[in-house]
Amino acid sequence: MEFLNSAVGKNITFVKPAYFIISAFNGIANIRYYLVFLCFIYIFSVVGNTLVMIVIILDHTLRGPKHIGVFNFAFTDLLSSSALMPKLVDIFLFNHHHISYNDCLAFMFFCLTFFAAQAFNLVVLSFDRVMAIIYPLHYQMRMSHKLILSLIAFFWLLAITIILTAVGLLTRLSFCDSVVIQSYFCDHGPVYRLGCNDLTPNRVIAHLAPVLVLWVPLAFIVGSYCCIGYSLSKTVTCRLKALKTCTGHLSLVAIYFLPTLFIFTFGSTILPNARTISLSLATVMPLTLNPIIYGLQTQEIKESLKKLLKVKMQFKISANK
């Protein structure tokens, strides 16, 4: 085959493809409308998350640990949408299905790293809520800027390490049969299953990574809210106000984890095209809803945005006089 470059080693032939072919949404009528819809989602995500970040940067009162977490969350969403959506549109809307071997691995690394970072960011935000509700009088002392920045840095390093290990193990595989990836991007599972030598290390990391990226963060978040519920059950005052501060975070947790876990759990019983569309929606929809639910619905950010818009309007009126 013309697109295969073979490197002959001792007793084995290592076959590294020059490119992969990304194949998804096959046989779906009017799929272009869905892709155009994804374009609008991407634009909305970029505008929403950028707006949240600009508000936090411009308003010097938004410098608390919570706002640092929200800024990092919006920043990760922006990176995640920018890593996935333009390439997704290029592949399926403009029919550029071929992607080089190295580009595919880079595409996979960035998409999965930002996906993992989103889950870990929700852990950071849940930890912030625990500290704020259970230790309200000592929140400023316990939840310092140094602590929140250390947590963010640690989880970024953890996400990079997990995904870099998974992607790095793919380089030991020989692809001697098909190079067609049955997914809407260079997904780890569909790629490593194309290998024709020993897949054991890849299979191990493929089962371990979802546990570390999805189940462990979800378990921590559920445990956090059990602690919050227990703490609120012993208090009478400010219970409703405390719960109100958690609704945005809980909404994001549900939007992020539940669809993805459902698809991974029951994916084998779902038709391939339905699974692809469901997984793509589960991946991109949180990127659009996050700035609305957690960013612009946060009271301090809403007030700051109103104040900035008011100042801008006053400046325009003064300039026109």
Side-chain angles (χ1 to χ4, degrees):
M1 300 173 70
E2 293 181 2
F3 54 81
L4 294 180
N5 298 321
S6 300
V8 180
K10 188 176 181 179
N11 299 327
I12 62 167
T13 300
F14 179 77
V15 184
K16 177 182 174 180
Y19 58 80
F20 289 104
I21 301 172
I22 298 180
S23 177
F25 309 119
N26 296 316
I28 301 178
N30 301 318
I31 191 61
R32 286 181 176 271
Y33 295 112
Y34 175 67
L35 296 171
V36 171
F37 167 69
L38 293 184
C39 289
F40 282 108
I41 286 181
Y42 172 64
I43 294 169
F44 194 88
S45 172
V46 170
V47 172
N49 285 299
T50 303
L51 183 61
V52 171
M53 292 165 61
I54 289 173
V55 169
I56 293 175
I57 290 172
L58 293 180
D59 192 337
H60 296 287
T61 63
L62 302 179
R63 292 294 184 271
K66 175 185 176 181
H67 305 115
I68 294 174
V70 172
F71 181 90
N72 181 59
F73 196 66
F75 179 64
T76 306
D77 279 355
L78 185 62
L79 292 177
S80 185
S81 60
S82 298
L84 176 64
M85 294 303 301
K87 190 62 179 177
L88 183 67
V89 171
D90 179 59
I91 292 169
F92 295 104
L93 197 58
F94 298 103
N95 296 319
H96 296 155
H97 295 274
H98 293 69
I99 182 169
S100 70
Y101 177 84
N102 290 331
D103 287 350
C104 185
L105 295 188
F107 185 30
M108 179 191 303
F109 170 76
F110 286 112
C111 287
L112 296 182
T113 297
F114 298 144
F115 182 82
Q118 285 175 301
F120 294 140
N121 284 337
L122 289 171
V123 171
V124 173
L125 293 173
S126 70
F127 182 73
D128 173 78
R129 289 300 84 207
V130 168
M131 292 293 104
I133 293 173
I134 297 182
Y135 306 105
L137 300 179
H138 303 92
Y139 173 75
Q140 296 296 335
M141 182 178 64
R142 290 173 179 265
M143 201 65 182
S144 63
H145 288 77
K146 182 179 179 181
L147 177 58
I148 191 75
L149 291 172
S150 298
L151 286 172
I152 290 171
F154 169 76
F155 282 122
W156 268 106
L157 287 173
L158 180 60
I160 291 170
T161 301
I162 293 170
I163 304 305
L164 192 61
T165 302
V167 175
L169 287 173
L170 293 174
T171 60
R172 56 173 289 281
L173 295 181
S174 180
F175 298 89
C176 50
D177 191 8
S178 175
V179 291
V180 179
I181 301 172
Q182 298 293 338
S183 183
Y184 62 96
F185 76 109
C186 290
D187 200 357
H188 180 262
V191 172
Y192 92 78
R193 293 189 191 97
L194 297 175
C196 54
N197 52 337
D198 182 22
L199 302 178
T200 302
N202 305 88
R203 195 174 288 115
V204 170
I205 194 67
H207 286 86
L208 180 61
V211 173
L212 297 175
V213 171
L214 292 173
W215 289 108
V216 172
L218 182 59
F220 179 88
I221 292 169
V222 171
S224 298
Y225 277 98
C226 288
C227 294
I228 289 173
Y230 177 74
S231 176
L232 292 178
S233 68
K234 298 190 296 181
T235 63
V236 178
T237 60
C238 300
R239 184 181 299 176
L240 185 61
K241 184 179 178 182
L243 288 173
K244 190 176 179 180
T245 64
C246 299
T247 54
H249 183 259
L250 283 172
S251 300
L252 290 186
V253 170
I255 292 169
Y256 182 86
F257 285 102
L258 296 183
T260 304
L261 291 174
F262 178 83
I263 292 166
F264 277 111
T265 304
F266 301 101
S268 59
T269 63
I270 304 174
L271 293 174
N273 281 334
R275 183 181 185 277
T276 300
I277 290 178
S278 300
L279 190 57
S280 62
L281 282 174
T283 304
V284 302
M285 286 306 292
L287 306 177
T288 306
L289 298 174
N290 289 351
I292 299 173
I293 295 175
Y294 208 93
L296 300 179
Q297 286 299 315
T298 302
Q299 190 62 34
E300 302 98 316
I301 294 178
K302 283 173 63 177
E303 293 300 324
S304 178
L305 181 59
K306 290 177 183 177
K307 185 169 61 176
L308 290 172
L309 290 174
K310 186 177 180 181
V311 170
K312 185 178 179 181
M313 290 295 293
Q314 290 175 346
F315 178 78
K316 281 186 176 181
I317 293 170
S318 300
N320 292 330
K321 287 183 178 180

